[in-house]
Amino acid sequence: MQFPSPRQVPIRRSLLALIAVLIHSHALAQPSRTSGPDGFREFATEHDGNIAAGRTLFTSMSCVQCHSVDGSANKAGPDLSAVGDKFRKADLITSVLDPSSMIAVGYDNTVLTLKDGSMASGVIKQATDDWLELMGADAKPVRIATKDIAKRETTPISLMPTGLQAAGSPADFANLISYLGSLHMNNAGIEREEIPKAGNPVRLDSFFDDGITLNEPLWFGELPGRKDAHVVLEHRGMSWIIEKKPSGDVQTPFLDLTKVIRAGGATGLLSMAFHPKFPEDLRYFLKYQIVEDGRISTLIMERRFSPDLKGDSGAPPRQLLKIPSTTQDHNGGCVAFGPDGYFYFGMGDTGPQRDPQGHSQDMSLLLGKMLRIDVDHQDEGLPYAIPKDNPFRNLDGVRPEIWAVGFREPWRFGWDLQTKDLWVGDVGQDQYEEVGIVRIGENHGWNVIEGFHPYSERYRRVGEFLVPPVWSYSHRLGSSVTGGFVYRGKKAPQMFGWYVFADHESRRIWALTQTDRRLDKLVEIGQAPTRAVSISQTRDGELYLVGFNSGKIYHLALDVVDPVPLEIHVLAATAEKEPHTAKYTTERPDEKWAAMPFDDSAWKESVGGFGTQGTPGGVIRTEWSERDIWLRREFTISESGQPDPKSRLALRIHHDEDAEVYLNGIEVANLPRWTQGYIEVPLPAEAAQSLRSGRNVIAIHCHQNTGGQFIDAGLLEYVSRSPAKP
């Protein structure tokens, strides 16, 4: 493959590579005292940088020429206004140090060789059959006629060279990472949702033995006809049959498509469905992407199992559909047979970002739709048939496969085994994710609406009703919804009828109930230990979570979940909403400073939290810039407000950096390093027992090592509202 020169390549595909390019080109003048990227990674991981310094660095390096931070997304690179919500600090670090490992979906660099021998490259901002519009680092769109293009390629490797961070110091690097991590949706006035937590969370049990090795699994399901046998698909094209046996689970290769598919980002081996009559009918169906002549296409393929059910038959596959993509974006993720026996699959809008050509509302395209076909019959000229009750079957200019309209990226969907409702998790654009119930012929709104919120009027059809989701959440809670299933198993009767789903990035797992597609109850039931790429349902109604990074399949032990939210009693408030008064000193006090009877009358008095402006997540009410601070704050518990002995007590704290905390003279926690927000630490039994009606004291010593600094803490009581078991 011939790569264009740096002069010809204005765009880089990873989320933050343009930032790093500009770092290299402009400003990080200090020589590095840390050799190699691992040194920068370690420093930025262990040290919290200064947000204000990082912001200055970001703007002075002309990063704003390539990245917006106001939600407008009108530059060549990704909008970074909520990047701190979408990515953890470790991911931000990796995206700069190892650009090719974290390619932002929708920002691949497209390289065009024109018929006159010249070349052009950039991010695709718009595309039609007649032209492509690329944008380079100068933020100027360039439109190129399709007829003038001789060759089109998508570069598989980031065009940003590695090692650019060495142009500056580790402290500069940490400052930049901290600034990026501080960019949140609520900075733009969007309030953060507070989802109640379950009285008792879900337990995730590893389903297979530790000896089973999976690399980025994406789909999991039972193998019909073979007891205790399951199929797992991997993102990059490998498939496995895993059989559970008393002597140890056995993993056998099933189908290898690694040399066929285009894996990366939103493309790869995405989903599988067995024929409803399997194994009587040995057909199974796959969805994946390939690249031909530089263009990505989604394939729906029919294959056959061997009669002994030990693997693929080896017979040539049959192509049902080939759907060209505009970019590598959003191809939809799921295929499945519905209760009616027909074959359903979802297609995303395929980009570019924000769907500027209105693919999802264009009825002449399969893009941005839920689709339904009959794989047991064939209409003239088709390898399948169109079901007679498909809603748009006989309309001119409309694809008859369309079952419902208006989706951006219907990643995972599934039916309620009892009501037959079809639930879809649709991945959002800039601000909101959504889950909803989809019915035949409906329009679910993208890109006219995103979640419950207006997005663009460009493709709105006058008088057409747009169906809202059951629930939509902002990117403060997660940035890539993974649809799930309504639980209909027998092991957890208290969860019967709850829709269970997750978010791929934040790893949160939720459960909700609804009536007439309106939200009734919503509770966070846990958090996965890894990115939650898929939720699967077995024939007995049990649910499983596919762990993308961990390479594990987890059974969701819902029987331990108490869906009744815990009631929160604030015993000592933090400074998040209102200031609280505390005594403090920055001079080392007497060694008994944390004890209840200690006399702190000579200490200063001010309001918390304490720290320096610009510290990530800090609510600064009193400036503290010295190396150490010692705090004592009193709070009173009334006789009637004494904590219930059965309740859970937790310290709510945001510390930057090292903190030691005492309650009534008893050590509660010794917390190294820092947090980027408030966390909760369970209270040890001895400390909990020290609480009394009347005066109580929280005492804290916080030590700052480098970068920003902040300290604030409070005390919470979580009380179960579920009736006591007899």
Side-chain angles (χ1 to χ4, degrees), residues 12-16 18 66-69 73 75-81 86 104-105 107 123 125:
R12 175 245 182 231
R13 302 173 300 136
S14 152
L15 178 65
L16 298 175
L18 281 171
C66 302
H67 295 275
S68 59
V69 291
K75 307 291 178 68
D79 178 80
L80 303 179
S81 59
K86 296 179 182 179
V105 173
Y107 292 91
V123 167
K125 302 299 283 187

Side-chain angles (χ1 to χ4, degrees), residues 12-33:
R12 175 245 182 231
R13 302 173 300 136
S14 152
L15 178 65
L16 298 175
L18 281 171
I19 295 172
V21 169
L22 292 165
I23 290 172
H24 178 65
S25 302
H26 293 276
L28 295 185
Q30 303 174 48
S32 170
R33 295 178 297 277

Side-chain angles (χ1 to χ4, degrees), residues 13 76 78 103-109 123-125 266 327-330 350-353:
R13 302 173 300 136
I103 306 299
V105 173
Y107 292 91
D108 272 22
N109 189 74
V123 167
I124 297 176
K125 302 299 283 187
T327 72
Q328 92 283 16
D329 287 9
H330 316 130
T350 79
Q353 292 287 333

Side-chain angles (χ1 to χ4, degrees), residues 170-294:
D172 290 328
F173 183 69
N175 291 341
L176 181 62
I177 295 299
S178 288
Y179 168 62
L180 294 168
S182 75
L183 297 175
H184 298 291
M185 282 187 69
N186 64 343
N187 293 350
I190 298 174
E191 203 169 305
R192 184 168 187 168
E193 308 100 313
E194 292 291 342
I195 308 303
K197 294 184 178 180
N200 201 61
V202 66
R203 190 181 71 244
L204 283 82
D205 298 329
S206 184
F207 185 62
F208 295 125
D209 294 345
D210 290 340
I212 299 300
T213 302
L214 298 169
N215 180 26
E216 295 183 346
L218 209 65
W219 185 91
F220 162 83
E222 292 174 297
L223 175 51
R226 277 187 63 181
K227 185 179 179 182
D228 296 326
H230 303 80
V231 174
V232 177
L233 307 186
E234 293 181 346
H235 186 208
R236 300 187 181 277
M238 193 66 194
S239 305
W240 303 91
I241 294 175
I242 304 176
E243 190 172 5
K244 294 191 69 64
K245 292 187 174 183
S247 58
D249 298 343
V250 177
Q251 180 176 0
T252 306
F254 157 46
L255 182 66
D256 185 354
L257 296 175
T258 54
K259 295 181 180 180
V260 176
I261 69 167
R262 194 269 190 189
T267 64
L269 180 55
L270 303 184
S271 187
M272 179 178 185
F274 292 96
H275 191 277
K277 295 182 179 179
F278 193 96
E280 177 185 339
D281 186 324
L282 290 170
R283 288 181 294 165
Y284 69 97
F285 301 82
L286 296 174
K287 179 180 182 181
Y288 56 84
Q289 283 73 42
I290 62 169
V291 177
E292 290 180 341
D293 299 324

Side-chain angles (χ1 to χ4, degrees), residues 10 31 85 149 156 245 251 312 523 657 659 713:
D85 293 324
I149 300 172
K245 292 187 174 183
Q251 180 176 0
D312 185 79
V523 65
E657 294 179 22

Side-chain angles (χ1 to χ4, degrees), residues 158 228-229 272 393 449 615 694:
S158 172
D228 296 326
M272 179 178 185
R393 175 185 170 94
I449 58 174
T615 302

